[in-house]
Amino acid sequence: MASKEEFFEHIENGYATKGDYITMGAAMLNREAMTNALVKVPLKTLNRHGLIAGATGTGKTKTLQVLAENLSDKGIPVLLMDLKGDLSGLAQPSPGHPKIDERHAKIGIPFESKKFPVEILSLSEQDGVKLRATVSEFGPILLSRILDLSETQEGIVAVIFKYCDDNKLPLLDLKDFKKVLQYATGEGKSEFTEEYGRISTSSTGTILRKIIELEQQGADLFFGEKSFEVNDLTRIDENGRGYINIIRLTDIQDRPKLFSTFMLSLLAEIYDTFPELGDSEKPELILFIDEAHLIFNEASKALLDQIESIVKLIRSKGIGLYFVTQNPTDVPNEVLAQLGLKVQHALRAFTARDRKAIKLTAENYPISDYYDTKEVLTSLGIGEALISALDEKGRPTPLAATLLRAPMSRMDILSESELKELIDNSKLVKKYSEVIDRESAYEILNEKIEKAEELAQKEKEKAQTPRRSTPTRRSTRQNPVIKVLTSATFIRGVLGVLKKVMR
């Protein structure tokens, strides 16, 4: 059996760091916390992405809360997906508890109660900063992948975007896109055929049905203006702490299509907007994607490829992605291989399938001389986790069963009055509260169709109006007989004969 001194030195050397870091807790040996054997994650490696996994009720949400708080304290803004509605308490300080003090005494760090700068965002009709994006900002490739279209249908979507670009038709919301789609096989069929080739009615019908399916999940609230500017996620408050942006998703848990649509558009926008940073001392923004299986379960092969590409490339922009889910097997292997920090809470083995999943999970962690990983995975208590991170040189740190620190903020939701006060005082709520419905493809095409119909009606009326009968023109040419009888010579001759007879 390993000695405590030997284990302490193993952890201290393995988690030594020269730069700034976040303390997760203290390593445990034989289920006993080793005071001051601190498990630290360097800020420099936080853009290498991560995973928080574990069975329901093992403390994943509290771990997420701890990470968000410490990132904010280090001046790193955070974006959280709150599907269960239990993260708003970050805006209020923890009331404290003797058990929290006892936990921190075992870890070897003092407990401090504090609140954090929080912004509430919304994808639906719930109060908060409204998150919107235009169809044009999505672009034809991302929109096609979200709709899971065939190659032929993707080509039609590309043609629709090209037509709108050529004719200066803004594509803002889904009604704009649907209108152009209908116009392409209706009133504008000849125009499209001449310029871009024939477009199949059956293909446009399929695309239209998929758009309607997206609308039924609430996407009509998401597509439109005013578009959300991703730079607003990177705000720092007057005390130098990063804002914690919480997206309330409690009313769209059963609409994974909308959730995954938003996530991918956001990641694509961040990737296009943020500059290349290379190897910086700390990340620009950290995103936590709760219930990550909702994205991967609904994603097509093309969409999974898109996610994998973004995960690989976005870290060079200083962005870290952290997936929160029940089991690491919920995350595709291609994505899992890109995750530097792994925080694994307890797993439960109720079935043969569960035991198999535990075995696979254990194989994802470094081999340890101090733990039987499979055994530890099923024996961890609430607020305990196996942690493996990357050191400053990008090497895996020693596996550590860790007693995690407690959140500094409230481990509960805000009351209705507290939530209302937070939203009412938000500058971003005022910035994005106005819904803009300027003239776009829908209105422009409707006007074009109306003018064409009016012109056609006038032509029709003109064709149906009866022509007036033209009066017959009399010929100016005189009959030869009449011409002779009325001539002056003939008249004089007749008068001369009459005179002789009268004499």
Side-chain angles (χ1 to χ4, degrees):
M1 184 180 288
S3 69
K4 292 181 179 179
E5 292 78 13
E6 186 183 314
F7 177 75
F8 186 92
E9 187 178 347
H10 171 70
I11 294 296
E12 192 174 47
N13 292 337
Y15 285 91
T17 173
K18 294 179 181 178
D20 207 354
Y21 57 87
I22 286 173
T23 302
M24 298 295 295
M28 299 188 298
L29 180 66
N30 301 323
R31 300 189 56 77
E32 179 188 348
M34 304 294 293
T35 306
N36 293 324
L38 300 180
V39 175
K40 299 176 286 189
V41 183
L43 297 187
K44 189 175 183 177
T45 64
L46 284 171
N47 66 328
R48 300 294 185 93
H49 315 311
L51 174 75
I52 302 172
T56 301
T58 55
K60 295 191 302 295
T61 302
K62 299 299 172 279
T63 299
L64 190 159
Q65 192 169 340
V66 165
L67 276 168
E69 292 173 345
N70 284 275
L71 287 165
S72 175
D73 253 354
K74 300 292 183 181
I76 302 168
V78 175
L79 177 65
L80 304 177
M81 314 292 155
D82 189 7
L83 271 87
K84 298 185 288 289
D86 48 8
L87 288 170
S88 59
L90 281 155
Q92 290 295 331
S94 167
H97 196 277
K99 286 188 176 180
I100 293 177
D101 296 331
E102 183 184 339
R103 175 179 285 260
H104 275 254
K106 288 179 181 178
I107 294 170
I109 55 176
F111 176 73
E112 184 182 1
S113 174
K114 61 170 77 171
K115 64 179 181 178
F116 295 86
V118 169
E119 196 71 66
I120 302 295
L121 290 72
S122 171
L123 269 176
S124 63
E125 293 178 342
Q126 287 187 340
D127 292 336
V129 180
K130 298 300 180 188
L131 295 171
R132 299 187 191 91
T134 65
V135 174
S136 291
E137 287 167 344
F138 256 60
I141 295 173
L142 187 57
L143 187 63
S144 297
R145 291 187 176 180
I146 284 164
L147 295 174
D148 193 16
L149 301 181
S150 68
E151 191 175 335
T152 302
Q153 292 158 359
E154 283 184 21
I156 291 172
V157 171
V159 165
I160 296 295
F161 273 80
K162 180 72 168 66
Y163 173 79
C164 291
D165 286 343
D166 292 346
N167 293 274
K168 294 182 172 53
L169 299 177
L171 281 174
L172 304 181
D173 50 27
L174 289 177
K175 77 173 188 295
D176 289 328
F177 189 80
K178 288 194 298 182
K179 187 67 186 177
V180 183
L181 202 61
Q182 291 163 343
Y183 180 77
T185 52
E187 297 89 346
K189 184 177 180 179
S190 58
E191 182 184 351
F192 266 82
T193 303
E194 184 181 345
E195 292 290 329
Y196 309 100
R198 183 177 171 275
I199 291 178
S200 166
T201 308
S202 61
S203 293
T204 56
T206 303
I207 298 169
L208 197 58
R209 285 191 295 273
K210 293 196 175 186
I211 290 171
I212 291 168
E213 179 191 340
L214 198 60
E215 279 183 320
Q216 287 174 339
Q217 293 211 12
D220 53 332
L221 291 171
F222 171 62
F223 284 100
E225 290 184 312
K226 186 177 185 178
S227 294
F228 185 79
E229 298 170 16
V230 291
N231 286 322
D232 282 331
L233 295 174
T234 60
R235 293 187 304 146
I236 306 294
D237 76 353
E238 62 278 6
N239 298 314
R241 297 183 300 172
Y243 263 85
I244 300 174
N245 304 281
I246 301 174
I247 305 177
R248 300 173 71 196
L249 300 169
T250 53
D251 58 341
I252 63 166
Q253 291 181 19
D254 57 342
R255 291 177 276 175
K257 198 81 173 178
L258 176 60
F259 176 62
S260 58
T261 298
F262 161 72
M263 273 310 307
L264 284 165
S265 70
L266 181 69
L267 292 176
E269 184 70 14
I270 287 172
Y271 182 74
D272 288 340
T273 304
F274 282 49
E276 288 283 341
L277 289 179
D279 209 13
S280 60
E281 290 304 309
K282 67 178 184 179
E284 291 293 297
L285 177 68
I286 297 291
L287 287 79
F288 290 90
I289 303 172
D290 200 2
E291 303 296 336
H293 64 277
L294 291 178
I295 291 182
F296 298 115
N297 289 352
E298 292 295 318
S300 63
K301 177 66 171 66
L303 209 52
L304 284 174
D305 291 342
Q306 183 82 5
I307 295 169
E308 185 186 341
S309 297
I310 288 173
V311 171
K312 286 178 178 177
L313 299 172
I314 204 167
R315 70 185 184 195
S316 65
K317 307 275 187 169
I319 310 299
L321 302 178
Y322 286 73
F323 299 96
V324 185
T325 189
Q326 291 196 14
N327 201 303
T329 55
D330 295 334
V331 180
N333 288 332
E334 294 78 8
V335 175
L336 201 59
Q338 302 295 322
L339 309 182
L341 172 64
K342 294 186 179 76
V343 182
Q344 179 65 60
H345 288 266
L347 292 174
R348 307 300 180 215
F350 298 114
T351 66
R353 185 180 178 182
D354 291 340
R355 287 191 291 275
K356 187 177 180 181
I358 288 170
K359 184 180 177 183
L360 287 172
T361 300
E363 290 173 356
N364 284 321
Y365 289 90
I367 296 171
S368 173
D369 295 331
Y370 300 94
Y371 305 114
D372 179 345
T373 309
K374 292 194 294 295
E375 184 184 333
V376 173
L377 280 173
T378 55
S379 62
L380 289 166
I382 296 171
E384 298 173 356
L386 277 173
I387 292 179
S388 174
L390 296 176
D391 66 16
E392 288 174 316
K393 294 183 178 179
R395 300 169 301 192
T397 57
L399 186 64
T402 307
L403 179 67
L404 298 167
R405 64 189 297 175
M408 295 178 274
S409 58
R410 185 191 295 177
M411 289 188 280
D412 198 0
I413 62 172
L414 297 181
S415 66
E416 286 297 322
S417 59
E418 287 172 330
L419 189 62
K420 185 178 184 304
E421 183 182 358
L422 182 64
I423 292 170
D424 287 346
N425 292 331
S426 166
K427 293 178 181 178
L428 290 188
V429 167
K430 297 177 179 68
K431 179 177 177 179
Y432 293 105
S433 61
E434 183 186 358
V435 179
I436 302 170
D437 189 15
R438 62 187 170 97
E439 188 179 61
S440 54
Y442 181 83
E443 290 79 15
I444 294 169
L445 282 181
N446 271 339
E447 188 179 343
K448 185 176 181 178
I449 291 167
E450 284 172 13
K451 285 180 179 177
E453 286 174 350
E454 284 175 15
L455 188 61
Q457 185 63 30
K458 286 177 182 177
E459 291 291 334
K460 187 178 178 182
E461 288 173 359
K462 187 177 179 181
Q464 290 177 348
T465 304
R467 291 184 178 180
R468 293 182 182 177
S469 55
T470 308
T472 307
R473 227 177 132 187
R474 290 185 181 180
S475 177
T476 54
R477 191 175 176 186
Q478 216 168 16
N479 190 299
V481 177
I482 296 173
K483 189 174 179 182
V484 171
L485 293 175
T486 55
S487 67
T489 307
F490 180 78
I491 293 171
R492 281 197 299 271
V494 170
L495 289 175
V497 171
L498 286 175
K499 281 182 183 179
K500 287 180 181 179
V501 171
M502 289 175 68
R503 286 179 186 165

